[in-house]
Amino acid sequence: MKIKEILTWAEGKIYKGTSSDIPAREAEILLEYILNISREKLYIKLYEEFPSEYLEEYKSAVSERASGKPLAYITHRKEFMSLPFFVDSSVLIPRPETEILVEEVITIAKNIKNPSVLDIGTGSGCIGLSIASYLKESSVSVTDISPEAIAIAKKNACHLSLTSLSFYCGDLFEPVKGLVFDIIVSNPPYISPEEMNTLPREVKDYEPSVALFGEEKGLFFYKKIIADAKNYLKKEGFLAFETGITQASHVSDLMKIHGFEQIKIVKDLSGIERVVTAVSSEQLPVTS
Ligand code: GLN
């Protein structure tokens, strides 16, 4: 059979099994991955015979996708901020809306000389590593409670030739005690456990719960980070979060209570309040 015919079969299978808007493109991406060729190369080969030695592997990748496994967990690749990230099921798949957070932080950091940035709960490293990649004069530290996530963030840093980051495994600020930063950024787990059943199968059944869920209506990690952030921020340091739907106003209230000023909320392309940034008004002594 021709490559084109097998792609049409795969498209149908993905269309039936998932709610993907782009089943045809997904069928191609899986084949590009299996054959290790570019999109351009695949298009030239469309009317060639399907290489039989790859047929079983391709069929099983298509079946995995059709049964709900996210594409990025099959190809182990997700682009974020135009950079390639390796992902597996121990880290959240980077989302396009998180790029808004990164862009805000880069804008803030450009006004600071040699900015130091802490990314809490880095997962694949997409936030911290993108900042390090686009701001060569920054010094970026990343933390995650999951050793598997830290291993992946390190692997991504290596692929992106980023050599000067600091990686810490531990809970929130615990591994950076005594350090201070110009900017603290986080996209913490913000889905309330009660919302679990409203999530698409791709998310609920495949992405790591530790990266998705926060107690107290999804506000648990914001509360913890905001309450402690000033101990780890320089004078007039910045705190920047991604937030879930309806959370931005709660997060900005919490920031106000803890003495943050110049609170700014940025909407995503769907009009959802997605990013909250603020400035620390005074420095408190570091408590341990
Ligand atoms: N910082 C990572 C991301 O934005 C992981 C976030 C998380 O695990 N909640 O994708």
Side-chain angles (χ1 to χ4, degrees), residues 2-269:
K2 305 263 185 284
I3 286 182
K4 177 91 184 108
E5 293 168 286
I6 306 274
L7 279 172
T8 307
W9 161 81
E11 175 188 350
K13 208 161 155 61
I14 295 169
Y15 176 79
K16 269 199 222 113
T18 72
S19 53
S20 169
D21 298 329
I22 49 162
R25 182 66 199 125
E26 291 203 18
E28 291 170 3
I29 291 170
L30 285 173
L31 190 51
E32 288 157 23
Y33 164 69
I34 303 278
L35 300 180
N36 194 19
I37 56 171
S38 66
R39 184 175 191 173
E40 292 72 23
K41 197 84 174 267
L42 178 65
Y43 283 6
I44 296 167
K45 288 171 169 284
L46 283 181
Y47 295 96
E48 292 179 11
E49 279 303 301
F50 194 100
S52 55
E53 66 275 30
Y54 291 105
L55 190 56
E56 280 318 305
E57 202 184 337
Y58 183 58
K59 279 185 173 168
S60 88
V62 171
S63 299
E64 274 191 298
R65 177 64 193 111
S67 60
K69 188 167 185 173
L71 188 70
Y73 286 156
I74 304 172
T75 62
H76 296 298
R77 194 193 139 107
K78 182 73 188 177
E79 203 175 273
F80 180 83
M81 293 295 293
S82 305
L83 300 169
F85 282 86
F86 173 92
V87 289
D88 72 14
S89 56
S90 51
V91 293
L92 200 76
I93 299 168
R95 304 294 205 267
E97 54 270 28
T98 306
E99 294 184 349
I100 300 170
L101 174 64
V102 172
E103 279 161 6
E104 281 300 314
V105 172
I106 289 176
T107 306
I108 292 168
K110 277 188 175 156
N111 293 318
I112 302 170
K113 195 165 183 296
N114 300 324
S116 53
V117 182
L118 172 66
D119 172 17
I120 300 179
T122 197
S124 64
C126 65
I127 297 175
L129 273 53
S130 302
I131 295 167
S133 177
Y134 285 100
L135 287 176
K136 295 293 181 209
E137 72 283 12
S138 63
S139 67
V140 177
S141 302
V142 305
T143 74
D144 204 289
I145 197 165
S146 151
E148 291 82 13
I150 287 295
I152 287 178
K154 281 186 181 168
K155 179 177 177 140
N156 279 320
C158 186
H159 288 168
L160 295 168
S161 307
L162 299 169
T163 50
S164 63
L165 281 100
S166 304
F167 296 88
Y168 300 96
C169 189
D171 190 17
L172 302 174
F173 292 107
E174 179 262 323
V176 292
K177 278 215 170 102
L179 302 180
V180 284
F181 302 89
D182 291 300
I183 304 172
I184 295 171
V185 57
S186 185
N187 173 24
Y190 58 63
I191 300 170
S192 83
E194 293 74 33
E195 284 175 288
M196 175 140 96
N197 288 326
T198 66
L199 296 175
R201 183 181 48 161
E202 268 92 343
V203 177
K204 187 175 55 181
D205 292 352
Y206 292 92
E207 298 205 78
S209 321
V210 67
L212 292 172
F213 300 111
E215 297 290 338
E216 301 177 38
K217 298 190 178 142
L219 294 170
F220 177 80
F221 291 102
Y222 299 106
K223 289 182 183 170
K224 296 271 273 193
I225 294 172
I226 293 168
D228 229 5
K230 281 194 173 183
N231 295 320
Y232 299 90
L233 277 176
K234 293 185 193 167
K235 201 168 183 308
E236 300 191 336
F238 287 81
L239 181 56
F241 286 118
E242 176 173 324
T243 54
I245 301 175
T246 74
Q247 288 173 330
S249 60
H250 297 292
V251 170
S252 59
D253 287 348
L254 286 165
M255 284 169 148
K256 271 180 220 152
I257 293 167
H258 284 86
F260 283 87
E261 295 173 338
Q262 298 174 45
I263 294 167
K264 179 178 170 194
I265 297 180
V266 185
K267 290 184 179 167
D268 67 15
L269 295 174

